[in-house]
Structures are given as C-alpha cells and as structure tokens.
Amino acid sequence: MEWILEAKGVNKVFGSKRNTFKALNDIDLHISKGEFVGVMGPSGAGKSSLLNVLSSIEPITSGTIRIGGTELTKMKEDQLREFRRDQMGFIFQDYNLLDTLTVAENIMLPLTFTKTPKDEIQEKVAELTDRFGIQAILEKYPYEISGGQQQRTAVCRAIIGRPSILFADEPTGALDSKSAHHLLQTLNKLNEEMQVTILMVTHDPYAASFCSRVVFIKDGSLYTEIHRGEQTRKQLFQQILKILSTIGGGQYDVV
C-alpha cells in the first residue's frame, strides 16, 4: 500500500516548564493514496492541532511525519514553505481569498511562485473552473460573489498545483446547508474522480459521512476509527453518531 502521509509517535506540547499542555499524545496515523479521511472529536480534543502539525503549519514536539516519503520534521522553514506550496493544498473555513485579486487571480496564485508557463496556468484555471461551474465569475472579486462561490474558488486554488494531499479545516463551518452539501459533493468528486487524497477536520457528522474513513480523537489521543466500506452514507452517519455520543460531540438530526 502506498502511504501518502505517515505520522509516528507524534506529540505536541504547548507552553514551557511547569505551565504546559499536551495537545497531542503519541499519535500514529497513516493515510493511503486516494483516501478521504475525516477527523472528529469533542471541542478541545486536538483536531486542529493534529491538522496543523501534519501540514507542518506548527512544529511537533516529538515524533516523525512523512508526506510522500519526505520527512517534514528534518526540514528547515524555507524548505517547508516550498514543500507546502508544491505538495499540499489547503481549504479553510474562512476561505482566505485575497479581495484585491479576481477569482481567476486567486486560483492561479499558487502557480505564480513556480516556473509554470503562463499558458499552462490559464489552461488549468479554465479546466478547474469549468469543472466546478464558476467560469462565469472569473473576473469578479471575492466580495462580489456568494459564500458557496468563494468556497469553490478556494477549492480550485487548493488543487491547481495537483498536491499530494489536501487539508480541509472545518470547510463547511461558514456555509449554509445548501452550499455545504455542494462543497461536500465537490470534495467527494475530487476524491473519487481525480483520486485527490483528503484529510478533513470537522465537527459535523453529516460532513464526515462523505468520508471513506473517520478517525476520532479524544484528549489528544486517537480513540477509534471506522471505515465506510460497503455502507451507505446514512449508515456511516449513524455509526458516527454512536461514537460521538460516547466521547462527546453534541446532538444531531438523522440525515
């Protein structure tokens, strides 16, 4: 099996001396090529800390992390910046689009720091925006388009460089139910049709039910995981609810 992400014995401690907090405790996690993995758990369980260290946004205290066989924990900051640009894609809850750039310019931004020819960049923008139905808004600015269109723009920007792995941090958190459903279908399509490997942190069992595997974290440690397998999305949703009711996670309506 080809591992895209390997994390072994990962610990993350905040603070120093006697005033410390252990956010992650001896995490072992493997993600194979083409997986769509969700990370869930109660508030404060360590979900965001896990995503941040796996994506090298924050350093780990101890352990090892490899993406595509490259060990991140031995890289310097300038090397990490280049590696993130070339090998990782990011989707955030607040989109992180630049209001001074058009939709097209936001999407092509990651490639403007590379030696990719201009014609090739334009071809990729055209292909992605056609796939996600936003080709009509290319010359508009982020503040001129809807939240759903902003999120689709962010998705196009995240994958234009064909990253090894796509990190999504609560991507539906700021969307209405219709836009959230559309985004989740988009991620599912990316995963199934383009074999994009995705790691998504979410508090929402409905969002997690689109994943092929859901990992649960509690008090900074991996608690359990479930695989969708041959289950329907509704059956997976029910399993997710049962585990959340055990570790804490709120009440939700059945899909």
Side-chain angles (χ1 to χ4, degrees):
M1 183 175 293
E2 182 181 354
W3 300 118
I4 290 296
L5 185 149
E6 302 173 82
K8 295 183 179 179
V10 171
N11 292 280
K12 176 64 178 177
V13 178
F14 290 99
S16 59
K17 298 181 179 179
R18 294 184 180 181
N19 187 24
T20 61
F21 170 71
K22 195 166 191 178
L24 298 174
N25 181 33
D26 204 27
I27 297 287
D28 288 338
L29 180 65
H30 294 74
I31 297 176
S32 61
K33 182 177 176 60
E35 271 199 291
F36 186 175
V37 178
V39 178
M40 299 198 76
S43 178
K47 302 186 297 295
S48 293
S49 292
L50 180 60
L51 182 141
N52 288 341
V53 299
L54 293 180
S55 62
S56 76
I57 292 175
E58 291 183 5
I60 59 175
T61 303
S62 60
T64 59
I65 297 171
R66 291 183 174 87
I67 291 181
T70 299
E71 186 170 342
L72 306 188
T73 43
K74 291 184 177 180
M75 298 172 74
K76 296 180 180 179
E77 184 54 40
D78 57 339
Q79 294 174 311
L80 282 172
R81 281 196 298 269
E82 185 174 334
F83 189 84
R84 280 194 293 267
R85 183 194 69 201
D86 296 339
Q87 300 297 328
M88 303 180 196
F90 296 88
I91 303 175
F92 301 100
Q93 180 176 326
D94 57 0
Y95 320 130
N96 281 2
L97 300 177
L98 298 179
D99 280 340
T100 55
L101 300 180
T102 65
V103 166
E105 290 167 340
N106 267 285
I107 293 171
M108 66 176 66
L109 187 61
L111 295 184
T112 60
F113 299 102
T114 69
K115 297 181 180 180
T116 308
K118 185 176 180 179
D119 289 347
E120 184 178 337
I121 292 176
Q122 291 175 338
E123 286 177 10
K124 289 183 176 182
V125 171
E127 177 190 349
L128 287 175
T129 54
D130 179 64
R131 177 184 286 270
F132 297 120
I134 56 172
Q135 63 270 48
I137 61 169
L138 289 179
E139 299 307 313
K140 291 184 179 293
Y141 290 87
Y143 55 83
E144 298 178 311
I145 61 179
S146 70
Q149 290 171 326
Q150 289 183 45
Q151 192 58 286
R152 276 178 277 165
T153 299
V155 170
C156 290
R157 181 187 59 187
I159 66 171
I160 193 169
R162 294 296 176 94
S164 297
I165 186 167
L166 178 61
F167 292 98
D169 189 6
E170 300 281 6
T172 62
L175 300 176
D176 58 58
S177 58
K178 183 178 180 180
S179 296
H181 180 75
H182 190 280
L183 174 64
L184 292 166
Q185 286 184 318
T186 298
L187 294 178
N188 194 60
K189 189 175 182 180
L190 281 175
N191 176 250
E192 293 185 350
E193 296 183 6
M194 299 176 65
Q195 285 295 291
V196 175
T197 305
I198 303 172
L199 176 66
M200 177 176 70
V201 166
T202 181
H203 71 281
D204 184 1
Y206 176 75
S209 70
F210 282 79
C211 299
S212 56
R213 175 163 59 115
V214 183
V215 175
F216 296 86
I217 186 170
K218 181 181 181 182
D219 298 328
S221 299
L222 294 185
Y223 179 79
T224 190
E225 65 177 45
I226 52 178
H227 295 256
R228 179 170 179 175
E230 299 300 317
Q231 295 182 95
T232 65
R233 192 168 60 79
K234 185 173 182 178
Q235 288 172 326
L236 179 60
F237 178 85
Q238 295 288 359
Q239 268 199 293
I240 292 170
L241 289 184
K242 288 180 181 178
I243 294 175
L244 288 177
S245 69
T246 301
I247 65 175
Q251 300 294 319
Y252 301 90
D253 295 329
V254 176
V255 179

